[in-house]
Amino acid sequence: MLLVGHSYGGVVISGAAGELANAAGLVFVTAFAPEQGESLTGIVEQFPATLMGPALRQTVVRAEHGDKVVELSIDRSQFPAVFAADVPAPAAEVMAVSQRPIALAGFTEAAGEPAWRVLPSWYLVAADDQAIHVDAQRFMAQRAGSHIAETAGSHAVMVSQPTAVADVILTAARTLR
């Protein structure tokens, strides 16, 4: 099984792969690939700022058991520049209003043992990303020993550069056959 993750989905696939006996490889698409014990905030703070930080908005919501948790979303007016600068305006607007928030804890909690230590990985770097700095992407990809591809594109590279994304996934799938 090949697992593919975008943005914080990189943490999800790397953690899930360790629990799946049939996981064969990982594809990170402009994604976080943290080391064990590292937080996403810790990664972000090591590199030049992007447009993401100032565009994040916090909302306090009640969790399942009544606890209050903080969720983050991107300010709708800033969403296109931060997340989808190379996506047609109508599509970027739809993305802005339909975005799903992420729990602040997702950025501050320490990551577990990364599956990229034991599985082959591929990483697509989006050179124009304003959510995860391009140097952070390159650093994580190199540290993970990933096969690295790079393309122009925003954080929404799967929308703006679908062929580049598909090429990386297909290369990984063919390699793992």
Side-chain angles (χ1 to χ4, degrees), residues 84-95:
D86 56 349
V87 172
E93 290 172 19
V94 169
M95 293 169 73

Side-chain angles (χ1 to χ4, degrees), residues 6-135:
H6 169 257
S7 196
Y8 63 84
V11 179
V12 175
I13 64 167
S14 191
E19 304 294 321
L20 301 171
N22 61 345
L26 306 165
V27 176
F28 296 95
V29 179
T30 66
F32 285 101
E35 175 63 86
Q36 183 172 6
E38 191 174 44
S39 72
L40 305 189
T41 302
I43 294 169
V44 168
E45 290 173 346
Q46 294 177 52
F47 296 92
T50 64
L51 299 177
M52 177 66 91
L56 289 175
R57 300 296 173 256
Q58 294 186 6
T59 305
V60 177
V61 296
R62 291 209 180 271
E64 184 177 336
H65 301 290
D67 297 335
K68 292 182 180 178
V69 297
V70 176
E71 292 186 338
L72 302 173
S73 59
I74 303 169
D75 183 282
R76 289 181 184 175
S77 67
Q78 297 178 52
F79 188 95
V82 172
F83 201 92
D86 56 349
V87 172
E93 290 172 19
V94 169
M95 293 169 73
V97 299
S98 62
Q99 67 180 299
R100 301 278 318 241
I102 179 174
L104 174 62
F107 282 96
T108 59
E109 290 179 356
E113 180 69 27
W116 50 256
R117 287 203 176 285
V118 296
L119 294 175
S121 64
W122 290 258
Y123 197 108
L124 180 61
V125 174
D128 304 315
D129 196 329
Q130 287 297 316
I132 303 174
H133 196 278
V134 67
D135 291 340

Side-chain angles (χ1 to χ4, degrees), residues 106-174:
F107 282 96
T108 59
E109 290 179 356
E113 180 69 27
W116 50 256
R117 287 203 176 285
V118 296
L119 294 175
S121 64
W122 290 258
Y123 197 108
L124 180 61
V125 174
D128 304 315
D129 196 329
Q130 287 297 316
I132 303 174
H133 196 278
V134 67
D135 291 340
Q137 293 178 55
R138 291 178 184 135
F139 167 77
M140 290 182 285
Q142 290 170 357
R143 177 176 65 183
S146 299
H147 302 274
I148 302 170
E150 190 161 328
T151 188
S154 68
H155 198 59
V157 68
M158 63 285 198
V159 176
S160 65
Q161 303 290 329
T163 302
V165 174
D167 286 347
V168 172
I169 295 168
L170 290 171
T171 296
R174 289 182 187 120

